[in-house]
Each structure stands twice: as C-alpha cells, then as structure tokens.
C-alpha cells in the first residue's frame, strides 16, 4: 500500500506540472482575460486533481471514478504529446509573424513643421498611425486557437481509436522459436502464453471468459499465465477470475506472479489461482514429459517482491539450480528484465509480459529504457526472450500501437 501511495504522490506532482502546461497552451494562450479564462483555469485544476484522486479512490473501492479518471489520463497524455510536437512549428510561425509586423512599422522620418492655425499650433498626424496597425496580438491568438483545436481533435481521435483497440478481443500472435536442446520428438510443442489480464475496476468476468475461450481454441500443450492477473483482492475479484478453472491443456496450466499481485494480496491470490487449477511456479520448476522427451518448465517470483516483505523474491538458484543441463529449460518470469539473471543459468527461453508492448505509443520508448525487450522475440546475453503484449490494460482503457494479445509459442528443434 505504501508503494501505491508513493506512486500516487509522484504522479500527482507530474500531472500537476503537465496540467500547468496544458492550461497555458489551451486556456491562457487562447483566451483574453475574463470569465472564459477563469472557467478554463478552474477546469484545469479539477482535471489535475482527478488523476491522483482516481488512483487513490479505486484502491479504496470507488470504482465509479475509474472511467472518467483513466479516460482523462489518456486524453491528457495525447494532448501533451501533440502540443509538444507543435512547439517547433508554433515557434517558427510566431517568429514569422513578428518579422512581418516589424517590417510593416514605419521608418523614422524627419520632424514635420508645426502648422499654425486659428486654433493655435497643431501637430500633424503620426505617419503610419492608421496605415500600419500592429495586428500581431490578434494573429497570435488565432494561431494559438488553431493549434489548440488541432491538438484537441487529434488527441480525441487517437484516444477513441485506442479505446476501441483496448476493449476489443485479443489478437493471436503465433511465433516459432527454435531451441537447440529440444528433442526432435518434442518438435512443435505449443505453449499458449498470456499476461497482464488486469482484472479490476474496468474489466471483469466477461473479460476472463473471452480470454479462456480464445486460449482453449488453440488446443495448446501448455498454458502459461505470466503475471499481473489482477488489480484487487480475492474478495473483490475472485468471481471475475473463476473462469480460469476452465483452461484446457495437455500437460498443465501454470502461473507466475507479476508486480500487481504484490499490490493485491499475493498470498491469497497464489492460493486462489492454485484452487482454480493452475500450478503456481514460485521459484520452482516442473518436469514436462511429452512425446518421449523431457523439458524443464521453471518459474520465478516477480522482481517486485524484493523488499516488500510480502513474499520471497525471485530465487533463480532454487528454480534453475541442480537441473540436468542437457534438457531444454523454459522460464516463466513476469518482467523481461529477469533475463539478465536467467542467462547466468543457461535458460534457453524466457516467456514474459509486463510491458504491455508499451500500451500507448510513444510510451513504448520509455519502457525500452527499463526493459531489454518491449514486445516480441529478442535475446539477452544468449537467452531468448519472448514478450507478449498482454491481454488487458492498466490505467487508461487505451491501447495505441500495441494491440491486446494472446501468444502461441511453438518450440522447434534446431
């Protein structure tokens, strides 16, 4: 809980600064002093408070906050992105306008003679006073309003597309991965892999049912659920997770914890998932005998467990030590980052999630700074790492550039 509150505090600070920028570009720059500017300022303040209130409120069970709060978070993000991109062309446009205004100003001329009339001496009208008025303020206002309208329409369109993608059915990614140690008799062994289902305020039982049905249609040999199943307690989401009992596979269904399990009561969820028929691989491995061959399937707790005091952290030695090195080993680990340690134990393939494929472009660029593989198949120190995009979402119900996904990993003998 302390970790969540700390995250909310940091997010409140960041979103506060973002809203200050949005207020300047969307309110202050597009309005003149008066009622509409005051209304815009109040709206910016309310929306700035909505984001941290939503995160804290949903943790306290106020789920009605989720839709407005998370949708605004997505819209805020894309407004920020579009406006930042527009900063350079807007700067160029302002400089051009300024040069035109300067060019239109009259040059300094010699003093005009004083005219003497019946009413006394008078000064002639200033040269250019009417012929070359300064239109710069009104043009800059028009330019700012045009940019604000463009940003608003673009951000709304992208967010709408992202909502449709996120709430749609997960797409199937089929990938073939050769393993040098895989016996020829096990060639074609298939592992249905799913992660980041994220049952919670915005996704419930119907979401699970759809995922289970999609996995069962694959007729896989093994099912692997690689973490972040839930965002809430067993009492809140136990019924939503219940359809997992219907998962079908030839050699078993397996689960490893993700970071969100440690925010949601990890011990209760480990027991609940086990009760639903999935074997939880907590720093252990399972021997898979299939088609006359043997494969080691191992799993480690998520890296987040370190220092939480809620459960043991990942123990690669317990899961991978003292095994027959001639056998191929597939490791289930929620975060791709775990591959840096897994490679020291000669892991052939690691299956992971956690990244959501970036979920919302260009956020994937930031994810790539933390994780060695963001989406799809990669390699870390000689260990192959496959990262599935996840079947759900966290926070905004929006996916842009990273559609929800269930993956069918087919192992091939090299």
């Amino acid at each position: 809980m302390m970790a969540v509150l700390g995250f909310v505090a940091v997010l409140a600070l960041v979103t506060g600064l973002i809203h200050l920028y949005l207020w300047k570009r969307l309110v202050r720059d597009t309005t003149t002093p008066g009622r509409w500017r005051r209304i815009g300022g109040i709206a910016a303040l309310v929306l700035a408070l909505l984001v941290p209130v939503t995160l804290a409120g949903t943790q306290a069970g106020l789920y009605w906050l989720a839709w407005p709060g998370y949708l605004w978070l997505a819209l805020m993000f894309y407004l920020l992105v579009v406006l930042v991109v527009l900063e350079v062309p807007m700067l160029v446009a302002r400089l051009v306008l300024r040069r035109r205004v300067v060019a239109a100003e009259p040059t300094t001329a010699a003093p005009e003679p004083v005219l003497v009339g019946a009413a006394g001496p008078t000064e002639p009208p200033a040269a250019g006073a009417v012929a070359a008025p300064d239109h710069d303020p009104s043009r800059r206002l028009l330019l700012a309003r045009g940019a604000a309208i463009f940003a608003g329409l673009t951000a709304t369109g992208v967010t709408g597309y992202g909502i449709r993608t996120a709430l749609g059915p997960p797409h199937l990614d089929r990938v073939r991965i050769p393993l040098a140690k895989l016996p020829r008799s096990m060639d074609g062994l298939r592992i249905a892999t799913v992660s980041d289902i994220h049952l919670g305020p915005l996704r419930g039982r119907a979401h699970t049912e759809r995922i289970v049905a999609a996995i069962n249609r694959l007729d896989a040999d093994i099912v692997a659920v690689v973490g972040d199943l839930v965002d809430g307690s067993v009492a809140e989401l136990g019924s939503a997770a219940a359809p997992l009992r219907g998962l079908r596979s030839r050699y078993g269904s397996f689960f490893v914890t993700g970071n969100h399990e440690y925010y949601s009561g990890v011990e209760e969820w480990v027991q609940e998932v086990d009760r639903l028929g999935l074997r939880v691989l907590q720093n252990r491995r399972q021997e898979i005998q299939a088609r006359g061959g043997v494969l080691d399937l191992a799993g480690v707790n998520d890296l987040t467990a370190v220092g939480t005091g809620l459960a043991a952290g990942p123990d690669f030695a317990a899961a991978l030590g003292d095994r027959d090195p001639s056998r191929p080993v597939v490791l289930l680990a929620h975060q791709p980052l775990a591959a840096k340690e897994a490679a020291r134990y000669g892991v052939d393939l690691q299956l992971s999630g956690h990244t959501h494929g970036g979920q919302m472009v260009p956020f994937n660029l930031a994810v790539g700074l933390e994780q060695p593989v963001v989406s799809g198949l990669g390699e870390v120190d000689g260990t192959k790492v496959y990262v599935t995009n996840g079947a759900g979402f966290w926070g905004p119900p929006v996916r842009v550039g990273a559609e929800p996904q269930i993956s069918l990993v087919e192992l091939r003998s090299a």
Side-chain angles (χ1 to χ4, degrees):
M1 181 59 71
M2 291 302 296
V4 174
L5 292 177
F7 175 75
V8 171
V10 172
L11 187 65
L13 175 61
V14 172
T15 55
L17 294 174
I18 291 173
H19 280 80
L20 182 62
Y21 171 77
L22 294 181
W23 170 80
K24 184 179 187 309
R25 286 288 178 257
L26 300 178
V27 179
R28 186 177 183 275
D29 291 355
T30 62
T31 60
T32 55
R35 184 178 67 170
W36 288 111
R37 181 176 288 186
R38 290 194 297 272
I39 292 173
I42 294 171
L45 179 60
V46 171
L47 291 171
L49 293 173
L50 178 61
V51 175
V53 167
T54 296
L55 292 177
T58 51
Q59 289 288 321
L62 302 176
Y63 293 147
W64 59 270
L65 284 168
W67 277 106
Y70 286 130
L71 284 178
W72 169 245
L73 183 62
L75 190 59
M76 176 203 78
F77 175 73
Y78 281 114
L79 281 170
L80 175 67
V81 170
V82 176
L83 287 170
V84 168
V85 170
L86 287 176
E87 285 292 343
V88 172
M90 286 285 288
L91 177 61
V92 172
R94 286 194 293 267
L95 291 175
V96 170
L97 285 177
R98 184 176 300 172
R99 290 187 62 181
R100 288 181 177 178
V101 169
V102 171
E105 291 178 350
T107 57
T108 303
E112 292 288 338
V114 176
L115 302 178
V116 178
T122 60
E123 295 288 340
V130 175
D134 185 357
H135 290 299
D136 183 52
S138 61
R139 290 183 179 181
R140 290 186 64 174
L141 186 64
L142 183 63
L143 181 65
R145 287 175 176 174
I149 291 171
F150 177 81
L153 292 176
T154 302
T156 301
V158 172
T159 301
Y161 164 80
I163 293 171
R164 181 179 178 181
T165 302
L167 298 180
H171 292 249
L172 175 64
D173 184 40
R174 295 177 181 266
V175 58
R176 293 182 174 182
I177 302 178
L179 299 182
K181 297 177 185 177
L182 188 72
R184 291 196 176 275
S185 62
M186 299 183 74
D187 183 74
L189 188 79
R190 300 185 304 164
I191 306 175
T193 307
V194 65
S195 75
D196 303 280
I197 295 173
H198 283 292
L199 299 174
L202 300 180
R203 303 311 296 263
R205 187 183 181 97
H207 179 51
T208 314
E209 290 173 344
R210 182 163 65 179
I211 291 170
V212 169
I215 290 175
N216 287 344
R217 285 195 295 268
L218 299 176
D219 192 29
D221 298 298
I222 298 169
V223 172
V225 182
V226 286
D228 278 10
L229 171 64
V230 293
D231 287 305
S233 67
V234 172
E236 295 167 329
L237 299 172
S239 62
L244 291 175
R245 184 185 296 278
L247 284 171
R248 296 195 302 269
S249 59
R250 289 183 180 82
Y251 306 111
S253 299
F254 300 87
F255 176 82
V256 291
T257 56
N259 53 307
H260 281 248
E261 272 70 62
Y262 294 92
Y263 312 144
S264 305
V266 63
E267 294 180 356
E268 287 187 345
W269 274 113
V270 165
Q271 295 175 8
E272 181 66 12
V273 169
D274 182 73
R275 190 181 69 83
L276 293 174
L278 285 77
R279 182 164 186 183
V280 184
L281 296 178
Q282 291 189 287
N283 299 326
R284 60 191 302 180
R285 66 179 180 271
Q286 171 74 42
E287 184 180 277
I288 305 294
Q289 297 185 12
R291 308 176 186 177
V294 181
L295 174 144
D296 285 332
L297 184 68
V300 291
N301 291 345
D302 184 62
L303 300 171
T304 304
V306 178
T308 64
L310 301 174
D315 189 336
F316 293 88
L320 301 165
D322 300 326
R323 66 180 187 85
D324 184 348
S326 66
R327 294 179 182 173
V329 57
V330 175
L331 176 68
L332 308 183
H334 179 61
Q335 297 191 42
L337 190 61
K340 293 184 178 295
E341 184 68 17
R344 297 177 53 199
Y345 290 86
V347 168
D348 299 285
L349 171 64
Q350 177 176 306
L351 301 178
S352 297
H354 183 64
T355 67
H356 297 199
Q359 186 165 324
M360 295 166 59
V361 169
F363 190 69
N364 57 312
L365 301 178
V367 176
L369 299 176
E370 180 192 18
Q371 298 293 336
V373 182
V374 176
S375 181
L377 184 61
E379 188 171 306
V380 177
D381 298 335
T383 290
K384 294 178 180 179
V385 180
Y386 176 79
V387 181
T388 185
N389 285 353
F393 52 79
W394 182 81
V398 174
R399 277 185 171 269
V400 178
E403 60 191 13
Q405 192 176 77
I406 292 171
S407 301
L408 186 64
V409 178
E410 184 175 330
L411 305 182
R412 306 307 301 264
S413 57

